[in-house]
């Protein structure tokens, strides 16, 4: 798994590099200290994952994430936002812009490595309850999206599955709740993403909130 590290603090990058490079099956292939350099590194190295700080001088992580996500040649690149949780007001916007999810900067090392594997496997980092709560908080004042999809293209089952994805359930948890197989659940999720033009599960969650399919505080 190829990883690019983006943070304006050299010591932070050094710590992340030591952690990632020590993990079997992972390697750091590039580093960047600002958003412009992050985009250049993504285009040059074609990594599987970019660990992206939001607050940087010059071009910030939000703009860099949007540029990476908008490049069709980088469709396989998963951006994970690194945030201080209480301070960053751009997390929801970053996910709408294409990020696969986000991590708190003081995340335990094992959790960070698990997150890299999670996004490479095609999942999003929106399952933990704390993450879900933050997404809901930003969803209440997110700017309307001009790309908000029409939910009429989905079947009733696909809408139901999308609701459960939006509140953070995994495919296995959704399958158990709906009495279907995990593979069937994965198929419903994939079809919903294709129909709505969602890049990944994270954007599917954003669409669910923006279209009113799920509202902050909703419980299945």
């Amino acid at each position: 798994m190829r990883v690019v590290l983006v943070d304006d603090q050299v010591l932070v990058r050094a710590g992340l590099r030591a952690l990632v490079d020590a993990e079997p099956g992972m390697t750091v292939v590039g580093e960047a200290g600002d958003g412009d350099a992050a985009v250049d590194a993504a285009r040059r190295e074609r990594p599987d994952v970019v660990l992206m700080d939001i607050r940087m001088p010059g071009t910030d992580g939000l703009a860099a994430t949007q540029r990476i996500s908008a490049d069709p040649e980088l469709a396989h690149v998963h951006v994970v936002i690194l945030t201080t949780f209480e301070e960053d007001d751009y997390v929801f916007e970053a996910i709408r812009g294409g990020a696969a999810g986000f991590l708190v900067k003081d995340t335990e090392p094992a959790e960070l490595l698990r997150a890299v594997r999670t996004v490479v496997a095609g999942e999003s980092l929106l399952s933990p309850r704390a993450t879900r709560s933050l997404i809901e908080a930003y969803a209440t004042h997110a700017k309307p999206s001009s790309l908000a999809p029409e939910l009429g293209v989905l079947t009733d089952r696909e809408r139901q599955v999308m609701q459960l994805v939006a509140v953070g359930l995994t495919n296995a948890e959704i399958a158990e709740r709906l009495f279907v197989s995990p593979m069937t659940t994965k198929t419903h999720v994939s079809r919903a993403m294709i129909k709505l033009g969602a890049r990944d599960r994270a954007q599917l969650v954003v669409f669910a909130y923006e279209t009113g399919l799920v509202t902050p505080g909703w419980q299945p």
Side-chain angles (χ1 to χ4, degrees):
M1 300 178 190
R2 297 163 55 81
V3 180
V4 164
L5 308 175
V6 184
D7 197 293
D8 61 328
Q9 298 183 42
V10 176
L11 286 178
V12 171
R13 298 203 309 270
L16 290 172
R17 174 180 279 275
L19 176 65
V20 172
D21 281 344
E23 180 70 5
M26 292 186 192
T27 184
V28 174
V29 295
E31 296 185 20
D34 60 61
D36 288 333
V39 176
D40 289 342
R43 289 172 175 163
R44 181 178 64 253
E45 302 296 343
R46 306 298 172 92
D48 299 296
V49 176
V50 176
L51 295 178
M52 179 83 73
D53 186 24
I54 279 189
R55 295 172 182 262
M56 295 180 290
T59 300
D60 63 16
L62 174 60
T65 297
Q66 292 171 334
R67 286 167 59 187
I68 291 172
S69 299
D71 189 335
E73 294 187 1
L74 301 179
H76 70 287
V77 177
H78 305 281
V79 178
V80 175
I81 297 297
L82 299 176
T83 172
T84 50
F85 194 82
E86 295 92 349
E87 298 176 6
D88 287 330
D89 297 328
Y90 307 108
V91 171
F92 186 82
E93 199 70 29
I95 292 174
R96 182 162 56 188
F102 60 93
L103 291 171
V104 184
K105 278 193 172 181
D106 60 0
T107 294
E108 292 293 327
E111 181 62 27
L112 185 143
L113 296 173
R114 185 160 49 248
V116 171
R117 297 187 185 281
T118 296
V119 296
V120 171
E123 298 285 341
S124 62
L125 301 178
L126 297 177
S127 294
R129 288 189 178 277
T131 302
R132 219 156 53 222
S133 298
L134 187 58
I135 289 295
E136 289 190 352
Y138 286 110
T140 60
H141 59 74
K143 294 183 294 185
S145 171
S146 60
L147 300 178
E150 293 294 333
L151 295 178
V153 300
L154 302 180
T155 65
D156 290 343
R157 178 63 92 183
E158 287 165 353
R159 282 195 292 271
Q160 186 180 22
V161 168
M162 184 172 168
Q163 286 178 313
L164 297 176
V165 168
V167 296
L169 271 64
T170 64
N171 283 352
E173 291 168 338
I174 295 172
E176 182 177 357
R177 183 179 292 262
L178 299 181
F179 303 103
V180 297
S181 71
M183 184 58 67
T184 297
T185 298
K186 183 176 181 180
T187 298
H188 287 312
V189 172
S190 297
R191 286 176 178 170
M193 287 171 55
I194 291 170
K195 289 180 179 180
L196 300 177
R199 176 185 174 96
D200 51 28
R201 288 173 71 102
Q203 285 200 326
L204 201 62
V205 173
V206 173
F207 291 158
Y209 280 108
E210 290 184 330
T211 58
L213 183 64
V214 175
T215 56
W218 181 84
Q219 294 294 326

